[in-house]
Amino acid sequence: MAILIDSVSKNLNPWLKAFKSYDDQVEVYCYDDAVALEKITTAVVWNHRPGLFKQLPNLKLIASLGAGVDHIMNDPDIPPQVSITRIIGDGLSGPMSNFCIGAILHHQRQFDKYLIDKSTKTWDQEPNPEREINVGIMGLGALGADLAEKLNYLGFNVFGLSQSRKKIAHVVSYLNAELDLFLSKINILVVMLPATESTRAILSKKLFDKLKKGTYLINVARGHHQVNGDIIDALENGQLSGAFLDVFPEEPLPKQSSLWDHPKIMITPHIAVVTKINEAVPQIIASHKRVRIGKLPEILVDRIKGY
Ligand code: GLV
């Protein structure tokens, strides 16, 4: 009944330390520790080594080290009886909402223009053209719902799109089937969708053509959603007025990518939110203990939906 933590991309030392200091009764190992793999009932992963799950005959729970589980769902070897859980909480939704609000205000208050004005020592007090800001959030899960509430509080008109209708005060909630209507209402699109088969390459010409001309795009979800060439075309033809991208199909974004040089694209290095170890560890240990006594984890990923 032990936990194995594995990642080929993250430094696991702070995680191991946090697990041990939170609950020294729980056995936690990393792959290179000489642990009998039959002991492992919970695998805690972020980009785990290929073939890992096949080596764990008593696996009951897979926990993501973050909010997303696409890195887990991409593995064809997840045993059918295994539950999957992920991290949620204020430590994720708070910084994520702040990041998106920053990106929205950056666009709304034309900070890019003032950077250019500064470089030419231009004092231009012409106010922003008054226009209504209608923010559309694709994906109203824990993160999207938090952003919707905060944007509404800040006075923005907020529209959301999700699989089931959501009740969030003053937020107009559309179903996925109402995508076209949702897209026609907004002039800022914030993408917070999980990476599933149905969202692959969704940010493409087909979708951009349904937006109001000059919509601003913010993607803080996954690069999996993006067709980079279509984003550039939509910026060139004015369908998009700008794009704030935190995620890319290939990360790190290759140096030769033309996204880097595009004046209407703001790039951040998949940094909108970083899991807080001290928030995640108690959640994972609680799930590990629930599964040990035959219960399901409180946050259970739907394996059919993929999130
Ligand atoms: C970050 O991208 C996460 O999924 O937590």
Side-chain angles (χ1 to χ4, degrees):
M1 294 276 180
I3 297 177
L4 181 82
I5 170 163
D6 193 50
S7 172
V8 294
S9 55
K10 267 193 203 293
N11 171 12
L12 296 177
N13 289 331
W15 285 90
L16 285 166
K17 219 169 124 200
F19 271 108
K20 285 177 186 152
S21 70
Y22 183 75
D23 186 340
D24 60 5
Q25 301 299 303
V26 175
E27 288 181 72
V28 185
Y29 302 96
C30 61
Y31 192 85
D32 293 331
D33 294 333
V35 52
L37 293 177
E38 304 77 61
K39 280 178 78 167
I40 303 301
T41 53
T42 295
V44 183
V45 296
W46 187 268
N47 296 333
H48 56 281
R49 70 199 60 226
L52 177 71
F53 301 144
K54 279 200 275 198
Q55 300 175 50
L56 306 174
N58 295 313
L59 188 63
K60 291 189 167 46
L61 175 70
I62 301 172
S64 170
L65 282 183
V69 291
D70 42 314
H71 56 101
I72 298 173
M73 305 310 280
N74 289 340
D75 188 326
D77 295 325
I78 308 170
Q81 76 287 0
V82 169
S83 305
I84 301 172
T85 190
R86 65 194 188 89
I87 307 303
I88 64 162
D90 294 346
L92 283 173
S93 51
M96 178 59 105
S97 292
N98 287 348
F99 187 93
C100 295
I101 291 165
I104 290 166
L105 295 176
H106 184 98
H107 167 65
Q108 187 207 8
R109 299 310 307 264
Q110 299 185 285
F111 288 147
D112 277 338
K113 171 190 163 359
Y114 295 116
L115 269 180
I116 298 168
D117 284 359
K118 177 168 179 278
S119 72
T120 55
K121 302 188 181 165
T122 302
W123 185 267
D124 173 12
Q125 280 191 315
E126 188 64 33
N128 275 2
E130 279 296 329
R131 61 177 193 141
E132 226 178 34
I133 299 285
N134 294 335
V135 184
I137 304 171
M138 276 180 111
L140 278 185
L143 299 175
D146 187 75
L147 176 63
E149 280 172 12
K150 289 174 178 167
L151 285 174
N152 174 56
Y153 182 75
L154 291 176
F156 292 98
N157 302 320
V158 188
F159 302 78
L161 184 85
S162 47
Q163 198 156 34
S164 56
R165 220 175 281 284
K166 298 286 158 74
K167 272 209 170 83
I168 306 173
H170 311 295
V171 172
V172 188
S173 164
Y174 290 103
L175 296 175
N176 286 346
E178 299 167 311
L179 174 70
D180 292 9
L181 186 60
F182 163 81
L183 295 173
S184 73
K185 300 280 179 201
I186 62 178
N187 48 26
I188 296 183
L189 174 62
V190 184
V191 183
M192 304 185 95
L193 292 169
T196 64
E197 263 326 298
S198 60
T199 61
R200 185 183 297 283
I202 192 166
L203 298 177
S204 64
K205 177 176 180 345
K206 188 167 160 222
L207 182 143
F208 300 144
D209 284 348
K210 293 176 183 158
L211 289 165
K212 286 199 179 94
K213 205 163 178 69
T215 294
Y216 191 73
L217 170 69
I218 299 171
N219 186 12
V220 288
R222 286 290 184 266
H224 159 106
H225 306 323
Q226 258 166 231
V227 181
N228 287 348
D230 287 6
I231 293 179
I232 291 179
D233 289 348
L235 289 166
E236 300 300 317
N237 67 28
Q239 196 55 22
L240 291 178
S241 55
F244 197 125
L245 306 176
D246 184 53
V247 288
F248 303 91
E250 186 183 347
E251 293 179 7
L253 180 63
K255 295 236 186 292
Q256 67 276 16
S257 169
S258 45
L259 298 181
W260 282 113
D261 299 313
H262 201 290
K264 292 185 179 163
I265 298 179
M266 173 75 189
I267 288 175
T268 50
H270 198 150
I271 202 69
V273 68
V274 177
T275 310
K276 304 272 181 306
I277 297 183
N278 290 339
E279 181 177 68
V281 164
Q283 287 185 33
I284 295 171
I285 291 187
S287 300
H288 170 69
K289 289 184 175 170
R290 283 176 71 92
V291 169
R292 213 163 54 177
I293 55 168
K295 292 189 173 169
L296 290 172
E298 255 174 55
I299 307 298
L300 181 66
V301 170
D302 180 327
R303 293 194 40 184
I304 308 286
K305 286 188 190 161
Y307 59 91

